[in-house]
Amino acid sequence: MAEYDVVVLGSGPGGYVAAIRAGQLGMKTAIVERDALGGICLNWGCIPSKALLRNAEVLSLINHSEEFGITVDGVKADFSRAIDRSRRVVDRLTRGVATLLRRNGVEHVVGTGSLTNATTIHVDGPEGTKALTADNVIVATGARQRDIPALAIDGETVITSREALALERAPKKAVIIGGGATGCEFAYMWRAYGTDVTIVELLPRLVPNGDEEISAQLERSFRRQGIQMATDAQVQGIAVNDGTAKVSILTKGENSILDADIVLVAVGVEGNTDKIGLETVGVEVDRSFIPIDDMMKTNVKGIYAIGDVTGKMLLAHVASAQGVTAVEHIAGLNPQPLDYAQIPSAIYCRPQVASFGMTEEQATEEGYTVKIGKFPLAASGKALALNEAEGMVKLVVDAEIGEVLGAHMIGAEVTELLGELGMTRLLEATTTELGWLVHPHPTISEALKEAALAAEGEAIHI
């Protein structure tokens, strides 16, 4: 008889959520973690970066206080204290995860786990080694920065987001390689603290997987903030000498050199699939990621995989949802398969960027006849009151039935609007229902109502 019903390898937002759900369902559960509970997201990703971004927002607000009729003299921004605050936030949350695991009867086993067969995990920990047996194993080991020869990371001058979140001072001059979520968030944060920032993006625009209009708006906003961008640019190499980097880039056939005291590499990840025994038990791995089915099952019976290690979508909320799906399947329940096309994504720079579902281009390629509903935040009373009038809400709508196929937003706190859009989709509502719904005034959420009305040619405030 197995010692556990479920053993989870890794305690990130997928792993710890899976373990807690298993405990709730009455299964004897253990979670194996060699580092701090919460994984990269909680300790060196989502949470500390958002704490630092909040610091940057406060600093930016103070620096623009004259616009509110408030004069502030002698502003002193201590970046090291911002880092300290972010670590306090992390510490509080990691202790919270430990409490939740205990409350749900989950055993926390400290150490590095590896599979010796489909039901046995060997754990090498600070108190020696031990073997755990389980009917089901959930691999939630996450992902890490991929080794790219042209972007050799030394951990001091050429760094990843992990090292960036521990810097005691903001760099004077930074080059950020990658114009996705991580690159944009660090660009905004460092710029707020006075860093001379350049983003280098291989594709033609920032946030290249998002809506083109939203990307253009973000680029305009970043230029106003003094953030420089090189798009359609390929990094040829990085030379480091005495703590200073020279980044060689090729842009539209022209070579140039960017100087920096910090280079942040924010592109390319690979799954943490090595040294955990997957090859021993025959779990399939494809280019460092573990293929899974709709219930998170691998090709080996009783072994599941969730989160970044699957390569599906590298988002914390996806990992958590996958964890719940896997456990409920193990428990004999009937969880609904995840619709990855409808997963929301959020970028927490200023202005924020939020998206959901298909872009206008994707919807057209899928064969839909599309209509668009837009509402500029310049027409939002709440946005104007906040002095945050840049941005818009854009809805991509099926012209035939009014179904919301996608939403793409940029502006103040637009990430908070994603929940309403998700519920709209879940309940199969259309622009008619979204336009009917009475929203509180004045709020940013009114922009959703107005965009829905705009799609039908009925907008009131534009």
PDB file of all heavy atoms in Angstrom, residues 81-120:
ATOM      1  N   ARG A  81      15.555  50.046   0.087  1.00  0.00           N
ATOM      2  CA  ARG A  81      14.411  49.891   0.990  1.00  0.00           C
ATOM      3  C   ARG A  81      13.189  49.349   0.242  1.00  0.00           C
ATOM      4  O   ARG A  81      12.348  48.644   0.826  1.00  0.00           O
ATOM      5  CB  ARG A  81      14.088  51.215   1.661  1.00  0.00           C
ATOM      6  CG  ARG A  81      15.158  51.641   2.662  1.00  0.00           C
ATOM      7  CD  ARG A  81      14.782  52.900   3.401  1.00  0.00           C
ATOM      8  NE  ARG A  81      13.613  52.703   4.263  1.00  0.00           N
ATOM      9  CZ  ARG A  81      13.077  53.676   5.002  1.00  0.00           C
ATOM     10  NH1 ARG A  81      13.602  54.903   4.972  1.00  0.00           N
ATOM     11  NH2 ARG A  81      12.029  53.436   5.747  1.00  0.00           N
ATOM     12  N   ALA A  82      13.097  49.662  -1.043  1.00  0.00           N
ATOM     13  CA  ALA A  82      12.038  49.060  -1.860  1.00  0.00           C
ATOM     14  C   ALA A  82      12.240  47.552  -1.948  1.00  0.00           C
ATOM     15  O   ALA A  82      11.283  46.767  -1.837  1.00  0.00           O
ATOM     16  CB  ALA A  82      12.041  49.677  -3.257  1.00  0.00           C
ATOM     17  N   ILE A  83      13.493  47.150  -2.136  1.00  0.00           N
ATOM     18  CA  ILE A  83      13.810  45.717  -2.161  1.00  0.00           C
ATOM     19  C   ILE A  83      13.460  45.073  -0.819  1.00  0.00           C
ATOM     20  O   ILE A  83      12.856  43.994  -0.761  1.00  0.00           O
ATOM     21  CB  ILE A  83      15.296  45.494  -2.490  1.00  0.00           C
ATOM     22  CG1 ILE A  83      15.614  45.937  -3.925  1.00  0.00           C
ATOM     23  CG2 ILE A  83      15.686  44.030  -2.278  1.00  0.00           C
ATOM     24  CD1 ILE A  83      15.005  45.078  -5.007  1.00  0.00           C
ATOM     25  N   ASP A  84      13.823  45.748   0.267  1.00  0.00           N
ATOM     26  CA  ASP A  84      13.511  45.217   1.603  1.00  0.00           C
ATOM     27  C   ASP A  84      12.004  45.028   1.778  1.00  0.00           C
ATOM     28  O   ASP A  84      11.558  44.022   2.338  1.00  0.00           O
ATOM     29  CB  ASP A  84      14.048  46.155   2.685  1.00  0.00           C
ATOM     30  CG  ASP A  84      15.563  46.168   2.750  1.00  0.00           C
ATOM     31  OD1 ASP A  84      16.191  45.243   2.204  1.00  0.00           O
ATOM     32  OD2 ASP A  84      16.114  47.121   3.340  1.00  0.00           O
ATOM     33  N   ARG A  85      11.224  46.005   1.322  1.00  0.00           N
ATOM     34  CA  ARG A  85       9.767  45.879   1.447  1.00  0.00           C
ATOM     35  C   ARG A  85       9.255  44.690   0.647  1.00  0.00           C
ATOM     36  O   ARG A  85       8.386  43.934   1.108  1.00  0.00           O
ATOM     37  CB  ARG A  85       9.074  47.164   0.971  1.00  0.00           C
ATOM     38  CG  ARG A  85       7.587  47.204   1.314  1.00  0.00           C
ATOM     39  CD  ARG A  85       6.920  48.457   0.752  1.00  0.00           C
ATOM     40  NE  ARG A  85       6.621  48.336  -0.653  1.00  0.00           N
ATOM     41  CZ  ARG A  85       5.500  47.782  -1.150  1.00  0.00           C
ATOM     42  NH1 ARG A  85       4.594  47.276  -0.332  1.00  0.00           N
ATOM     43  NH2 ARG A  85       5.298  47.733  -2.445  1.00  0.00           N
ATOM     44  N   SER A  86       9.799  44.500  -0.551  1.00  0.00           N
ATOM     45  CA  SER A  86       9.354  43.370  -1.380  1.00  0.00           C
ATOM     46  C   SER A  86       9.660  42.039  -0.701  1.00  0.00           C
ATOM     47  O   SER A  86       8.869  41.096  -0.771  1.00  0.00           O
ATOM     48  CB  SER A  86      10.009  43.427  -2.770  1.00  0.00           C
ATOM     49  OG  SER A  86      11.361  43.023  -2.736  1.00  0.00           O
ATOM     50  N   ARG A  87      10.800  41.974   0.011  1.00  0.00           N
ATOM     51  CA  ARG A  87      11.153  40.717   0.697  1.00  0.00           C
ATOM     52  C   ARG A  87      10.229  40.481   1.896  1.00  0.00           C
ATOM     53  O   ARG A  87       9.898  39.336   2.222  1.00  0.00           O
ATOM     54  CB  ARG A  87      12.609  40.724   1.150  1.00  0.00           C
ATOM     55  CG  ARG A  87      13.668  40.896   0.069  1.00  0.00           C
ATOM     56  CD  ARG A  87      13.372  40.158  -1.213  1.00  0.00           C
ATOM     57  NE  ARG A  87      13.206  38.729  -1.031  1.00  0.00           N
ATOM     58  CZ  ARG A  87      12.722  37.917  -1.965  1.00  0.00           C
ATOM     59  NH1 ARG A  87      12.331  38.400  -3.120  1.00  0.00           N
ATOM     60  NH2 ARG A  87      12.609  36.627  -1.724  1.00  0.00           N
ATOM     61  N   ARG A  88       9.791  41.547   2.543  1.00  0.00           N
ATOM     62  CA  ARG A  88       8.843  41.386   3.661  1.00  0.00           C
ATOM     63  C   ARG A  88       7.500  40.859   3.153  1.00  0.00           C
ATOM     64  O   ARG A  88       6.869  40.019   3.803  1.00  0.00           O
ATOM     65  CB  ARG A  88       8.648  42.714   4.392  1.00  0.00           C
ATOM     66  CG  ARG A  88       9.847  43.167   5.201  1.00  0.00           C
ATOM     67  CD  ARG A  88       9.487  44.255   6.197  1.00  0.00           C
ATOM     68  NE  ARG A  88       8.924  45.442   5.566  1.00  0.00           N
ATOM     69  CZ  ARG A  88       9.645  46.457   5.106  1.00  0.00           C
ATOM     70  NH1 ARG A  88      10.979  46.434   5.199  1.00  0.00           N
ATOM     71  NH2 ARG A  88       9.064  47.520   4.568  1.00  0.00           N
ATOM     72  N   VAL A  89       7.082  41.360   2.000  1.00  0.00           N
ATOM     73  CA  VAL A  89       5.838  40.867   1.407  1.00  0.00           C
ATOM     74  C   VAL A  89       5.968  39.378   1.089  1.00  0.00           C
ATOM     75  O   VAL A  89       5.074  38.579   1.384  1.00  0.00           O
ATOM     76  CB  VAL A  89       5.494  41.666   0.125  1.00  0.00           C
ATOM     77  CG1 VAL A  89       4.336  41.016  -0.621  1.00  0.00           C
ATOM     78  CG2 VAL A  89       5.165  43.112   0.476  1.00  0.00           C
ATOM     79  N   VAL A  90       7.090  39.008   0.496  1.00  0.00           N
ATOM     80  CA  VAL A  90       7.340  37.605   0.159  1.00  0.00           C
ATOM     81  C   VAL A  90       7.335  36.736   1.415  1.00  0.00           C
ATOM     82  O   VAL A  90       6.701  35.669   1.451  1.00  0.00           O
ATOM     83  CB  VAL A  90       8.677  37.460  -0.595  1.00  0.00           C
ATOM     84  CG1 VAL A  90       9.112  35.995  -0.666  1.00  0.00           C
ATOM     85  CG2 VAL A  90       8.569  38.057  -1.983  1.00  0.00           C
ATOM     86  N   ASP A  91       8.028  37.189   2.447  1.00  0.00           N
ATOM     87  CA  ASP A  91       8.112  36.408   3.685  1.00  0.00           C
ATOM     88  C   ASP A  91       6.734  36.157   4.282  1.00  0.00           C
ATOM     89  O   ASP A  91       6.422  35.046   4.742  1.00  0.00           O
ATOM     90  CB  ASP A  91       9.003  37.141   4.689  1.00  0.00           C
ATOM     91  CG  ASP A  91       9.156  36.362   5.990  1.00  0.00           C
ATOM     92  OD1 ASP A  91       9.690  35.241   5.953  1.00  0.00           O
ATOM     93  OD2 ASP A  91       8.730  36.881   7.043  1.00  0.00           O
ATOM     94  N   ARG A  92       5.900  37.178   4.258  1.00  0.00           N
ATOM     95  CA  ARG A  92       4.551  37.009   4.810  1.00  0.00           C
ATOM     96  C   ARG A  92       3.763  35.970   4.029  1.00  0.00           C
ATOM     97  O   ARG A  92       3.056  35.134   4.607  1.00  0.00           O
ATOM     98  CB  ARG A  92       3.827  38.356   4.784  1.00  0.00           C
ATOM     99  CG  ARG A  92       2.406  38.295   5.323  1.00  0.00           C
ATOM    100  CD  ARG A  92       1.814  39.674   5.463  1.00  0.00           C
ATOM    101  NE  ARG A  92       0.434  39.617   5.948  1.00  0.00           N
ATOM    102  CZ  ARG A  92      -0.292  40.676   6.267  1.00  0.00           C
ATOM    103  NH1 ARG A  92       0.242  41.894   6.158  1.00  0.00           N
ATOM    104  NH2 ARG A  92      -1.539  40.538   6.682  1.00  0.00           N
ATOM    105  N   LEU A  93       3.898  35.991   2.716  1.00  0.00           N
ATOM    106  CA  LEU A  93       3.135  35.060   1.902  1.00  0.00           C
ATOM    107  C   LEU A  93       3.671  33.636   1.990  1.00  0.00           C
ATOM    108  O   LEU A  93       2.899  32.669   1.988  1.00  0.00           O
ATOM    109  CB  LEU A  93       3.106  35.533   0.449  1.00  0.00           C
ATOM    110  CG  LEU A  93       2.223  36.760   0.201  1.00  0.00           C
ATOM    111  CD1 LEU A  93       2.391  37.253  -1.224  1.00  0.00           C
ATOM    112  CD2 LEU A  93       0.757  36.429   0.456  1.00  0.00           C
ATOM    113  N   THR A  94       4.993  33.468   2.062  1.00  0.00           N
ATOM    114  CA  THR A  94       5.537  32.111   2.197  1.00  0.00           C
ATOM    115  C   THR A  94       5.111  31.492   3.522  1.00  0.00           C
ATOM    116  O   THR A  94       4.804  30.295   3.581  1.00  0.00           O
ATOM    117  CB  THR A  94       7.071  32.111   2.093  1.00  0.00           C
ATOM    118  OG1 THR A  94       7.634  33.023   3.032  1.00  0.00           O
ATOM    119  CG2 THR A  94       7.536  32.485   0.701  1.00  0.00           C
ATOM    120  N   ARG A  95       5.077  32.305   4.575  1.00  0.00           N
ATOM    121  CA  ARG A  95       4.579  31.785   5.850  1.00  0.00           C
ATOM    122  C   ARG A  95       3.105  31.427   5.747  1.00  0.00           C
ATOM    123  O   ARG A  95       2.638  30.456   6.356  1.00  0.00           O
ATOM    124  CB  ARG A  95       4.822  32.809   6.964  1.00  0.00           C
ATOM    125  CG  ARG A  95       6.292  32.899   7.381  1.00  0.00           C
ATOM    126  CD  ARG A  95       6.515  33.792   8.584  1.00  0.00           C
ATOM    127  NE  ARG A  95       6.504  35.204   8.229  1.00  0.00           N
ATOM    128  CZ  ARG A  95       5.563  36.063   8.600  1.00  0.00           C
ATOM    129  NH1 ARG A  95       4.544  35.655   9.345  1.00  0.00           N
ATOM    130  NH2 ARG A  95       5.640  37.337   8.257  1.00  0.00           N
ATOM    131  N   GLY A  96       2.361  32.194   4.942  1.00  0.00           N
ATOM    132  CA  GLY A  96       0.956  31.884   4.729  1.00  0.00           C
ATOM    133  C   GLY A  96       0.759  30.564   4.004  1.00  0.00           C
ATOM    134  O   GLY A  96      -0.143  29.780   4.339  1.00  0.00           O
ATOM    135  N   VAL A  97       1.601  30.294   3.002  1.00  0.00           N
ATOM    136  CA  VAL A  97       1.519  29.016   2.288  1.00  0.00           C
ATOM    137  C   VAL A  97       1.803  27.857   3.239  1.00  0.00           C
ATOM    138  O   VAL A  97       1.108  26.827   3.225  1.00  0.00           O
ATOM    139  CB  VAL A  97       2.493  28.992   1.090  1.00  0.00           C
ATOM    140  CG1 VAL A  97       2.592  27.590   0.488  1.00  0.00           C
ATOM    141  CG2 VAL A  97       2.048  29.980   0.019  1.00  0.00           C
ATOM    142  N   ALA A  98       2.827  28.007   4.084  1.00  0.00           N
ATOM    143  CA  ALA A  98       3.147  26.954   5.061  1.00  0.00           C
ATOM    144  C   ALA A  98       1.958  26.683   5.973  1.00  0.00           C
ATOM    145  O   ALA A  98       1.632  25.515   6.278  1.00  0.00           O
ATOM    146  CB  ALA A  98       4.372  27.356   5.872  1.00  0.00           C
ATOM    147  N   THR A  99       1.297  27.730   6.404  1.00  0.00           N
ATOM    148  CA  THR A  99       0.117  27.572   7.270  1.00  0.00           C
ATOM    149  C   THR A  99      -1.006  26.841   6.549  1.00  0.00           C
ATOM    150  O   THR A  99      -1.654  25.942   7.113  1.00  0.00           O
ATOM    151  CB  THR A  99      -0.371  28.952   7.737  1.00  0.00           C
ATOM    152  OG1 THR A  99       0.659  29.580   8.495  1.00  0.00           O
ATOM    153  CG2 THR A  99      -1.621  28.827   8.599  1.00  0.00           C
ATOM    154  N   LEU A 100      -1.252  27.203   5.298  1.00  0.00           N
ATOM    155  CA  LEU A 100      -2.309  26.556   4.530  1.00  0.00           C
ATOM    156  C   LEU A 100      -2.024  25.072   4.317  1.00  0.00           C
ATOM    157  O   LEU A 100      -2.937  24.240   4.384  1.00  0.00           O
ATOM    158  CB  LEU A 100      -2.474  27.253   3.180  1.00  0.00           C
ATOM    159  CG  LEU A 100      -3.079  28.657   3.222  1.00  0.00           C
ATOM    160  CD1 LEU A 100      -2.955  29.335   1.861  1.00  0.00           C
ATOM    161  CD2 LEU A 100      -4.545  28.587   3.641  1.00  0.00           C
ATOM    162  N   LEU A 101      -0.769  24.742   4.057  1.00  0.00           N
ATOM    163  CA  LEU A 101      -0.411  23.328   3.889  1.00  0.00           C
ATOM    164  C   LEU A 101      -0.673  22.549   5.178  1.00  0.00           C
ATOM    165  O   LEU A 101      -1.270  21.463   5.156  1.00  0.00           O
ATOM    166  CB  LEU A 101       1.054  23.199   3.460  1.00  0.00           C
ATOM    167  CG  LEU A 101       1.388  23.705   2.052  1.00  0.00           C
ATOM    168  CD1 LEU A 101       2.890  23.724   1.838  1.00  0.00           C
ATOM    169  CD2 LEU A 101       0.717  22.843   0.979  1.00  0.00           C
ATOM    170  N   ARG A 102      -0.236  23.103   6.306  1.00  0.00           N
ATOM    171  CA  ARG A 102      -0.459  22.429   7.592  1.00  0.00           C
ATOM    172  C   ARG A 102      -1.950  22.282   7.879  1.00  0.00           C
ATOM    173  O   ARG A 102      -2.416  21.227   8.318  1.00  0.00           O
ATOM    174  CB  ARG A 102       0.208  23.206   8.727  1.00  0.00           C
ATOM    175  CG  ARG A 102       1.721  23.109   8.766  1.00  0.00           C
ATOM    176  CD  ARG A 102       2.259  23.587  10.115  1.00  0.00           C
ATOM    177  NE  ARG A 102       1.885  24.971  10.392  1.00  0.00           N
ATOM    178  CZ  ARG A 102       2.592  26.025  10.028  1.00  0.00           C
ATOM    179  NH1 ARG A 102       3.734  25.860   9.346  1.00  0.00           N
ATOM    180  NH2 ARG A 102       2.205  27.241  10.328  1.00  0.00           N
ATOM    181  N   ARG A 103      -2.703  23.341   7.613  1.00  0.00           N
ATOM    182  CA  ARG A 103      -4.136  23.339   7.905  1.00  0.00           C
ATOM    183  C   ARG A 103      -4.867  22.268   7.109  1.00  0.00           C
ATOM    184  O   ARG A 103      -5.902  21.744   7.553  1.00  0.00           O
ATOM    185  CB  ARG A 103      -4.709  24.721   7.604  1.00  0.00           C
ATOM    186  CG  ARG A 103      -6.152  24.915   8.018  1.00  0.00           C
ATOM    187  CD  ARG A 103      -6.586  26.335   7.708  1.00  0.00           C
ATOM    188  NE  ARG A 103      -5.819  27.310   8.485  1.00  0.00           N
ATOM    189  CZ  ARG A 103      -5.768  28.614   8.197  1.00  0.00           C
ATOM    190  NH1 ARG A 103      -6.420  29.080   7.131  1.00  0.00           N
ATOM    191  NH2 ARG A 103      -5.074  29.436   8.951  1.00  0.00           N
ATOM    192  N   ASN A 104      -4.340  21.945   5.931  1.00  0.00           N
ATOM    193  CA  ASN A 104      -4.981  20.941   5.088  1.00  0.00           C
ATOM    194  C   ASN A 104      -4.308  19.578   5.162  1.00  0.00           C
ATOM    195  O   ASN A 104      -4.555  18.710   4.317  1.00  0.00           O
ATOM    196  CB  ASN A 104      -5.021  21.451   3.644  1.00  0.00           C
ATOM    197  CG  ASN A 104      -6.030  22.570   3.458  1.00  0.00           C
ATOM    198  OD1 ASN A 104      -7.222  22.323   3.345  1.00  0.00           O
ATOM    199  ND2 ASN A 104      -5.547  23.813   3.463  1.00  0.00           N
ATOM    200  N   GLY A 105      -3.465  19.403   6.160  1.00  0.00           N
ATOM    201  CA  GLY A 105      -2.872  18.101   6.411  1.00  0.00           C
ATOM    202  C   GLY A 105      -1.813  17.676   5.423  1.00  0.00           C
ATOM    203  O   GLY A 105      -1.538  16.471   5.286  1.00  0.00           O
ATOM    204  N   VAL A 106      -1.193  18.634   4.741  1.00  0.00           N
ATOM    205  CA  VAL A 106      -0.158  18.318   3.755  1.00  0.00           C
ATOM    206  C   VAL A 106       1.202  18.302   4.442  1.00  0.00           C
ATOM    207  O   VAL A 106       1.572  19.259   5.124  1.00  0.00           O
ATOM    208  CB  VAL A 106      -0.151  19.340   2.597  1.00  0.00           C
ATOM    209  CG1 VAL A 106       0.971  19.024   1.613  1.00  0.00           C
ATOM    210  CG2 VAL A 106      -1.496  19.362   1.903  1.00  0.00           C
ATOM    211  N   GLU A 107       1.952  17.228   4.252  1.00  0.00           N
ATOM    212  CA  GLU A 107       3.298  17.144   4.823  1.00  0.00           C
ATOM    213  C   GLU A 107       4.299  17.829   3.897  1.00  0.00           C
ATOM    214  O   GLU A 107       4.334  17.556   2.693  1.00  0.00           O
ATOM    215  CB  GLU A 107       3.712  15.685   5.021  1.00  0.00           C
ATOM    216  CG  GLU A 107       5.102  15.533   5.650  1.00  0.00           C
ATOM    217  CD  GLU A 107       5.545  14.094   5.808  1.00  0.00           C
ATOM    218  OE1 GLU A 107       4.712  13.187   5.582  1.00  0.00           O
ATOM    219  OE2 GLU A 107       6.715  13.867   6.154  1.00  0.00           O
ATOM    220  N   HIS A 108       5.090  18.713   4.461  1.00  0.00           N
ATOM    221  CA  HIS A 108       6.130  19.402   3.698  1.00  0.00           C
ATOM    222  C   HIS A 108       7.437  18.655   3.901  1.00  0.00           C
ATOM    223  O   HIS A 108       7.971  18.614   5.021  1.00  0.00           O
ATOM    224  CB  HIS A 108       6.250  20.851   4.171  1.00  0.00           C
ATOM    225  CG  HIS A 108       7.389  21.601   3.552  1.00  0.00           C
ATOM    226  ND1 HIS A 108       7.944  22.716   4.128  1.00  0.00           N
ATOM    227  CD2 HIS A 108       8.077  21.398   2.401  1.00  0.00           C
ATOM    228  CE1 HIS A 108       8.925  23.169   3.377  1.00  0.00           C
ATOM    229  NE2 HIS A 108       9.023  22.383   2.322  1.00  0.00           N
ATOM    230  N   VAL A 109       7.974  18.074   2.842  1.00  0.00           N
ATOM    231  CA  VAL A 109       9.238  17.336   2.894  1.00  0.00           C
ATOM    232  C   VAL A 109      10.303  18.204   2.244  1.00  0.00           C
ATOM    233  O   VAL A 109      10.220  18.543   1.057  1.00  0.00           O
ATOM    234  CB  VAL A 109       9.126  15.984   2.154  1.00  0.00           C
ATOM    235  CG1 VAL A 109      10.442  15.223   2.249  1.00  0.00           C
ATOM    236  CG2 VAL A 109       7.983  15.154   2.738  1.00  0.00           C
ATOM    237  N   VAL A 110      11.308  18.587   3.016  1.00  0.00           N
ATOM    238  CA  VAL A 110      12.361  19.471   2.521  1.00  0.00           C
ATOM    239  C   VAL A 110      13.442  18.655   1.835  1.00  0.00           C
ATOM    240  O   VAL A 110      13.982  17.709   2.412  1.00  0.00           O
ATOM    241  CB  VAL A 110      12.978  20.285   3.675  1.00  0.00           C
ATOM    242  CG1 VAL A 110      14.076  21.202   3.139  1.00  0.00           C
ATOM    243  CG2 VAL A 110      11.909  21.095   4.389  1.00  0.00           C
ATOM    244  N   GLY A 111      13.743  19.021   0.603  1.00  0.00           N
ATOM    245  CA  GLY A 111      14.800  18.325  -0.115  1.00  0.00           C
ATOM    246  C   GLY A 111      14.545  18.312  -1.607  1.00  0.00           C
ATOM    247  O   GLY A 111      13.571  18.879  -2.104  1.00  0.00           O
ATOM    248  N   THR A 112      15.450  17.650  -2.325  1.00  0.00           N
ATOM    249  CA  THR A 112      15.342  17.508  -3.769  1.00  0.00           C
ATOM    250  C   THR A 112      14.785  16.136  -4.093  1.00  0.00           C
ATOM    251  O   THR A 112      15.350  15.119  -3.685  1.00  0.00           O
ATOM    252  CB  THR A 112      16.724  17.672  -4.433  1.00  0.00           C
ATOM    253  OG1 THR A 112      17.247  18.961  -4.108  1.00  0.00           O
ATOM    254  CG2 THR A 112      16.623  17.535  -5.945  1.00  0.00           C
ATOM    255  N   GLY A 113      13.673  16.116  -4.806  1.00  0.00           N
ATOM    256  CA  GLY A 113      13.020  14.851  -5.116  1.00  0.00           C
ATOM    257  C   GLY A 113      13.298  14.391  -6.535  1.00  0.00           C
ATOM    258  O   GLY A 113      13.425  15.194  -7.454  1.00  0.00           O
ATOM    259  N   SER A 114      13.414  13.074  -6.692  1.00  0.00           N
ATOM    260  CA  SER A 114      13.550  12.482  -8.023  1.00  0.00           C
ATOM    261  C   SER A 114      12.848  11.137  -8.036  1.00  0.00           C
ATOM    262  O   SER A 114      12.810  10.423  -7.028  1.00  0.00           O
ATOM    263  CB  SER A 114      15.025  12.324  -8.409  1.00  0.00           C
ATOM    264  OG  SER A 114      15.688  11.479  -7.490  1.00  0.00           O
ATOM    265  N   LEU A 115      12.292  10.800  -9.169  1.00  0.00           N
ATOM    266  CA  LEU A 115      11.555   9.554  -9.326  1.00  0.00           C
ATOM    267  C   LEU A 115      12.518   8.383  -9.533  1.00  0.00           C
ATOM    268  O   LEU A 115      13.432   8.462 -10.360  1.00  0.00           O
ATOM    269  CB  LEU A 115      10.615   9.652 -10.526  1.00  0.00           C
ATOM    270  CG  LEU A 115       9.414  10.597 -10.368  1.00  0.00           C
ATOM    271  CD1 LEU A 115       8.942  11.101 -11.715  1.00  0.00           C
ATOM    272  CD2 LEU A 115       8.293   9.891  -9.633  1.00  0.00           C
ATOM    273  N   THR A 116      12.298   7.326  -8.776  1.00  0.00           N
ATOM    274  CA  THR A 116      13.062   6.093  -9.019  1.00  0.00           C
ATOM    275  C   THR A 116      12.213   5.061  -9.749  1.00  0.00           C
ATOM    276  O   THR A 116      12.735   4.187 -10.418  1.00  0.00           O
ATOM    277  CB  THR A 116      13.591   5.500  -7.698  1.00  0.00           C
ATOM    278  OG1 THR A 116      12.490   5.278  -6.806  1.00  0.00           O
ATOM    279  CG2 THR A 116      14.578   6.458  -7.034  1.00  0.00           C
ATOM    280  N   ASN A 117      10.900   5.176  -9.593  1.00  0.00           N
ATOM    281  CA  ASN A 117       9.945   4.459 -10.434  1.00  0.00           C
ATOM    282  C   ASN A 117       8.646   5.256 -10.418  1.00  0.00           C
ATOM    283  O   ASN A 117       8.601   6.334  -9.812  1.00  0.00           O
ATOM    284  CB  ASN A 117       9.762   3.000  -9.986  1.00  0.00           C
ATOM    285  CG  ASN A 117       9.280   2.878  -8.556  1.00  0.00           C
ATOM    286  OD1 ASN A 117       8.276   3.487  -8.171  1.00  0.00           O
ATOM    287  ND2 ASN A 117       9.989   2.101  -7.735  1.00  0.00           N
ATOM    288  N   ALA A 118       7.605   4.736 -11.022  1.00  0.00           N
ATOM    289  CA  ALA A 118       6.377   5.517 -11.183  1.00  0.00           C
ATOM    290  C   ALA A 118       5.669   5.824  -9.881  1.00  0.00           C
ATOM    291  O   ALA A 118       4.799   6.701  -9.838  1.00  0.00           O
ATOM    292  CB  ALA A 118       5.427   4.796 -12.131  1.00  0.00           C
ATOM    293  N   THR A 119       6.029   5.139  -8.798  1.00  0.00           N
ATOM    294  CA  THR A 119       5.348   5.352  -7.521  1.00  0.00           C
ATOM    295  C   THR A 119       6.304   5.695  -6.380  1.00  0.00           C
ATOM    296  O   THR A 119       5.867   5.812  -5.236  1.00  0.00           O
ATOM    297  CB  THR A 119       4.536   4.100  -7.126  1.00  0.00           C
ATOM    298  OG1 THR A 119       5.418   2.975  -7.028  1.00  0.00           O
ATOM    299  CG2 THR A 119       3.443   3.813  -8.143  1.00  0.00           C
ATOM    300  N   THR A 120       7.583   5.873  -6.661  1.00  0.00           N
ATOM    301  CA  THR A 120       8.562   6.125  -5.599  1.00  0.00           C
ATOM    302  C   THR A 120       9.385   7.360  -5.898  1.00  0.00           C
ATOM    303  O   THR A 120       9.909   7.520  -7.003  1.00  0.00           O
ATOM    304  CB  THR A 120       9.509   4.919  -5.417  1.00  0.00           C
ATOM    305  OG1 THR A 120       8.734   3.739  -5.216  1.00  0.00           O
ATOM    306  CG2 THR A 120      10.429   5.135  -4.230  1.00  0.00           C
TER     307      THR A 120
END
